Amino acid sequence: MKKLVILGGGYGGMRILDELFKNLPSDVSITLIDRVPYHCLKTEYYALAAGTISDQHIRVTFPEHPQLEVKYGEVTEIDLENKKVLLKDGVVAYDELIIGLGCEDKYHDVPGASEYTYSIQSIEKSRQTYQALNNLAPGSTVGIVGAGLSGVELASELNESRPDIHIKLFDRGEFILSAFPKRLSEYVQNWFDSHGVEIINKANITQVEPNHLFNHDTAIPCDIIVWTAGIQPSKVVRDMDVEKDNQGRVTLTPRHHLPTDENVFVIGDCASLPHAPSAQLAEGQAEQVVQVLLKRWKGEEPPEIFPPIKLKGILGSLGKKHGFGLVADRAITGRVARLIKSGILWMYKYHKG
């Protein structure tokens, strides 16, 4: 039996399984390794942290298949030379390996940031953030560092969940969501202004201490600080002795495997790709990796190159009733954007569940 091991049951790992199960050869076994016993909808962690949805709403059961074994464990190291994955409580050998271990917060060497801020980068950390935010007394102040998509969605959802607290959203740019068209940035800025969320532009967080963050070295009191100011590949991937880009993501061939090992693929947040990491990008990668594997298992030569992965757009929420986004390069705002995002999420959960 050929042994395919998939590290991480995220969006890329789930799409790998979906596609492989359609044409899985009988002589291939699959082991999926994840530290939690279900697929998590990471794009909705902000709502879990804000307290507007329950934990159960963002969990999806892993699929079942006679050739699939789901193993729960914490990956500690990948031994490329001996083709083994080291876990806290064991070792798993592989013939082919797909690494989809996701990302962690990047603190940009800001003193105290890792120790004194909360996170929404994993379901465990999102639960902790939920408890901290929703145990705050009325009138408390929450600082959110980073006004990208995650920071904006968390700030707006928290404003809806806890209108009795003050929210300060710190952004490095001159205006929030600077990568989006100006119309969308202005729409989101106006939404925050009308809902009493304070935007602090041109911010530079230089230090974090308990109940304080320092913007341009000026101390600002905050009862809770949530960090949404950048990501980096998981530590296991950062520790791998392979070629990486300047973001620490693994450099790959057009077939999405290591240049030095055609049996080791990397997908999702850990992969060096032309686009910013996203669920869509991980799923697009996964579909191409499956094509490579199926061709090989049939004794055929996989494609040398693949067409660029096409992204359908990006959507963000502003609470439960408003949203914004780009769909087919067209800017949309308001209730329509929020309805589209809710519909996509429902379809995804319905299909997977």
Side-chain angles (χ1 to χ4, degrees):
M1 292 283 284
K2 300 183 187 72
K3 295 181 180 178
L4 170 65
V5 174
I6 303 172
L7 305 183
Y11 292 98
M14 289 289 277
R15 183 57 63 91
I16 293 274
L17 295 176
D18 286 346
E19 296 298 313
L20 279 181
F21 289 164
K22 298 173 184 177
N23 296 287
L24 187 62
S26 58
D27 63 342
V28 175
S29 67
I30 303 175
T31 301
L32 172 66
I33 302 174
D34 200 288
R35 59 188 174 193
V36 295
Y38 34 75
H39 169 53
C40 298
L41 304 180
K42 187 175 182 180
T43 58
E44 304 305 301
Y45 284 174
Y46 72 91
L48 173 62
T52 57
I53 63 173
S54 72
D55 193 294
Q56 187 177 10
H57 278 86
I58 58 172
R59 301 195 318 236
V60 177
T61 304
F62 285 133
E64 296 182 0
H65 191 278
Q67 291 164 251
L68 170 67
E69 176 190 7
V70 178
K71 189 173 182 65
Y72 312 123
E74 184 83 23
V75 178
T76 58
E77 185 181 346
I78 298 170
D79 183 348
L80 296 174
E81 184 176 353
N82 297 301
K83 290 195 167 190
K84 292 179 179 179
V85 176
L86 280 63
L87 309 176
K88 277 188 176 180
D89 58 353
V91 177
V92 177
Y94 65 84
D95 295 311
E96 278 128 349
L97 179 68
I98 298 173
I99 302 171
L101 289 172
C103 63
E104 301 171 359
D105 288 295
K106 186 172 184 178
Y107 296 104
H108 308 285
D109 298 321
V110 174
S114 63
E115 295 90 346
Y116 304 121
T117 66
Y118 287 84
S119 168
I120 57 170
Q121 283 303 324
S122 71
I123 192 167
E124 301 97 326
K125 290 183 177 180
S126 297
R127 289 170 179 148
Q128 294 168 4
T129 302
Y130 158 75
Q131 288 185 328
L133 291 175
N134 287 279
N135 283 334
L136 285 173
S140 298
T141 298
V142 174
I144 299 175
V145 181
L149 188 61
S150 295
V152 164
E153 291 192 307
L154 176 61
S156 59
E157 201 82 6
L158 185 59
N159 174 262
E160 192 166 282
S161 172
R162 293 291 309 270
D164 57 303
I165 63 176
H166 305 296
I167 301 171
K168 296 177 181 287
L169 183 58
F170 294 84
D171 181 38
R172 293 187 65 181
E174 294 186 8
F175 51 90
I176 61 175
L177 297 175
S178 56
F180 284 74
K182 188 176 180 181
R183 175 193 163 194
L184 291 184
S185 297
E186 290 178 345
Y187 174 81
V188 175
Q189 179 85 43
N190 291 336
W191 190 95
F192 281 131
D193 289 344
S194 65
H195 286 77
V197 175
E198 182 180 357
I199 308 295
I200 296 143
N201 297 114
K202 298 182 181 179
N204 181 26
I205 307 306
T206 54
Q207 186 177 344
V208 181
E209 293 181 356
N211 303 119
H212 284 84
L213 59 76
F214 291 76
N215 182 29
H216 295 282
D217 296 323
T218 299
I220 299 176
C222 294
D223 296 284
I224 293 290
I225 302 162
V226 185
W227 192 271
T228 63
I231 58 172
Q232 61 185 341
S234 70
K235 186 176 185 304
V236 171
V237 172
R238 298 202 308 273
D239 290 343
M240 292 175 64
D241 185 18
V242 296
E243 184 180 347
K244 302 184 181 82
D245 64 15
N246 58 7
Q247 300 293 317
R249 300 185 177 105
V250 178
T251 303
L252 303 171
T253 70
R255 293 174 175 173
H256 305 290
H257 59 67
L258 299 180
T260 56
D261 192 334
E262 66 176 11
N263 295 312
V264 178
F265 301 84
V266 182
I267 60 174
D269 299 335
C270 299
S272 179
L273 296 170
H275 302 286
S278 68
Q280 284 184 70
L281 193 59
E283 291 178 334
Q285 253 195 299
E287 291 173 2
Q288 294 181 356
V289 168
V290 168
Q291 292 183 52
V292 174
L293 290 172
L294 292 176
K295 285 285 188 183
R296 283 187 187 167
W297 291 338
K298 292 177 182 177
E300 301 173 5
E301 186 68 16
E304 287 290 339
I305 59 173
F306 289 95
I309 297 170
K310 293 183 179 180
L311 304 180
K312 297 177 182 178
I314 186 167
L315 292 165
S317 68
L318 293 170
K320 289 290 185 281
K321 295 181 179 179
H322 298 87
F324 60 94
L326 285 171
V327 178
D329 295 324
R330 180 184 176 187
I332 57 173
T333 58
R335 292 180 181 271
V336 171
R338 190 64 178 91
L339 285 170
I340 293 174
K341 182 181 178 185
S342 297
I344 291 171
L345 177 63
W346 184 87
M347 287 295 293
Y348 182 89
K349 288 179 66 176
Y350 177 80
H351 176 69
K352 298 296 181 187

